[in-house]
Amino acid sequence: MRLEIVSAADFLVQLLRLQAGQLSESQLQMFKSSLTDVLRRRYRDHWFPDKPNRGSGYRCIRINGHIDPVIAQAGMNVGLVPTLLRSLFPSELTMWIDPREFSEQIATFVSG
């Protein structure tokens, strides 16, 4: 579970890092640590390595107009308000954190 959670946290921190100058490196590291802790506690009883699809919906994290409560909680733990985090992430983002797998999808829209 540790590797998958760290991969997800690294991915989100990298997205935040792309917003040059919005958050300090210290804030990014505190957010990563908080997110890792929140996810570890959340998934403790919902992690089934022998049946990786079991509980997959519970381990899905979404940003789709609203910030996922897991991300919001991790941010609030270190003094980052949800509205700030929401403004720094893509408008549509879905992540799945499952045993032996981390995947993500960022939706991009092209106007025509």
Side-chain angles (χ1 to χ4, degrees), residues 1 4 43-49 59 97-100:
M1 176 172 33
E4 296 90 343
Y43 297 166
R44 185 175 306 144
D45 296 326
H46 297 275
W47 197 259
F48 310 99
R59 295 185 305 270
I97 305 168
D98 295 319
R100 297 180 299 279

Side-chain angles (χ1 to χ4, degrees), residues 15-39:
L15 287 178
L16 292 173
R17 194 173 275 126
L18 293 173
Q19 303 298 319
Q22 295 295 316
L23 297 175
S24 70
E25 194 57 36
S26 173
Q27 288 173 306
L28 291 171
Q29 291 309 311
M30 288 189 313
F31 174 73
K32 178 181 173 182
S33 177
S34 175
L35 181 61
T36 301
D37 290 343
V38 168
L39 290 173

